[in-house]
Amino acid sequence: MRTVQHRRRLTPAARAVAPWLFLLALLATWSLVVGLAQPPAYFLPAPTTVARKLAQALVSPTFWPAFGVTFSEALGGCLLGAAVAIPLAVAIHRSVLLRAAITPFLGATQAIPAIAMAPLLAIWVGYGIRPIILLCALMVFFPILVAAVVGLRLVDRSVVDAARVDGAGTVALLAAIELPLALPNILAGLRNGFALSVTGAVVGEMVMGGDGLGQLLTLQRDSVDTAGMFATIIVLCAMASSLYGLIVVVERRSATMADLTGEPA
């Protein structure tokens, strides 16, 4: 007789504490490695050294403007990528011919390294914030597009057919049925897109220059400021995690609203 095993669900308190426990374990391991191996500070600084560097950076008058530049680049690139990817996903979903023509080339967008695209964008667009935003958009385009196409493809056809019988037109069908049902997949694509967009902003600044945290990383690398690099990377991780968490909150609220109203999330 087959038994069904249910996945154990964590309580909200345990879910909130788990990341902090993992972080404490990571810091303890880091401290232990530094204490036992005693590597040179330029190779692996102690967590306390990185914490001091981070504290100094957070009160520096030049840090927050650089943070704002990188955040703007990442957010702008992700929004631009989504603005192109989602309508294209709808077009691919609607048109068999377009799907057959475009799908074979979609993987090529992921095969080109971002660091290879950056010099080309600098030549085509010039230097400044615009080519970096474009680089971010290119990096997030494919994950968002694929997630949106998959979400639209998984929409229950019986629901779509019933809406058509009730007289729903193409636009109404898309707005009221297909996009809401595909929203969880689209938000999942945006989650990954935001994280990739931060990477794109840093790569763009390190290759093309700029006034953000990527440029700060370049300066710290050139001066062999390893502790400073660790501190900047921690801030970048926090930025990406915050953007990721924001989309998670939107996902949960949309799912909660759908449960309350009985409509698709």
Side-chain angles (χ1 to χ4, degrees):
M1 182 177 179
R2 181 180 296 177
T3 59
V4 178
Q5 294 182 348
H6 296 282
R7 183 183 298 176
R8 183 181 178 184
R9 294 187 176 182
L10 294 176
T11 63
R15 192 182 300 274
V17 170
W20 296 104
L21 292 177
F22 175 76
L23 179 61
L24 288 175
L26 186 63
L27 289 174
T29 304
W30 183 0
S31 299
L32 183 63
V33 169
V34 172
L36 294 177
Q38 295 185 347
Y42 70 85
F43 184 79
L44 181 65
T48 52
T49 305
V50 175
R52 284 195 296 269
K53 279 286 185 178
L54 180 59
Q56 292 171 5
L58 293 179
V59 298
S60 171
T62 60
F63 177 80
W64 290 108
F67 179 93
V69 169
T70 301
F71 181 84
S72 300
E73 292 165 348
L75 182 61
C78 192
L79 294 177
L80 178 60
V84 176
I86 294 174
L88 181 58
V90 173
I92 291 174
H93 176 67
R94 292 289 190 193
S95 173
V96 177
L97 178 61
L98 187 63
R99 181 163 60 249
I102 292 180
T103 301
F105 298 99
L106 291 180
T109 63
Q110 291 295 97
I112 303 173
I115 198 169
M117 285 297 301
L120 286 174
L121 290 174
I123 293 172
W124 293 338
V125 184
Y127 290 90
I129 194 171
R130 288 184 299 172
I132 297 176
I133 290 177
L134 285 175
L135 180 63
C136 295
L138 288 172
M139 291 190 67
V140 307
F141 170 79
F142 183 77
I144 297 175
L145 177 65
V146 170
V149 169
V150 170
L152 289 168
R153 190 175 299 169
L154 292 177
V155 172
D156 191 341
R157 304 316 303 171
S158 62
V159 176
V160 174
D161 293 339
R164 283 177 176 159
V165 170
D166 290 338
T170 301
V171 176
L173 188 66
L174 180 66
I177 302 295
E178 292 181 307
L179 282 179
L181 287 174
L183 184 60
N185 289 77
I186 295 173
L187 290 175
L190 286 173
R191 267 193 281 124
N192 295 329
F194 273 123
L196 286 172
S197 194
V198 173
T199 302
V202 173
V203 170
E205 290 172 1
M206 295 185 75
V207 175
M208 295 181 282
D211 300 316
L213 296 179
Q215 183 65 18
L216 178 60
L217 271 175
T218 301
L219 296 175
Q220 291 167 337
R221 178 200 62 193
D222 294 342
S223 60
V224 200
D225 183 7
T226 310
M229 293 179 69
F230 267 87
T232 304
I233 291 171
I234 289 171
V235 172
L236 289 168
C237 290
M239 181 190 299
S241 298
S242 299
L243 292 170
Y244 188 96
L246 179 63
I247 301 299
V248 171
V249 171
V250 173
E251 283 184 279
R252 290 177 180 172
R253 289 191 175 182
S254 65
T256 301
M257 291 299 296
D259 291 340
L260 292 175
T261 59
E263 297 177 354

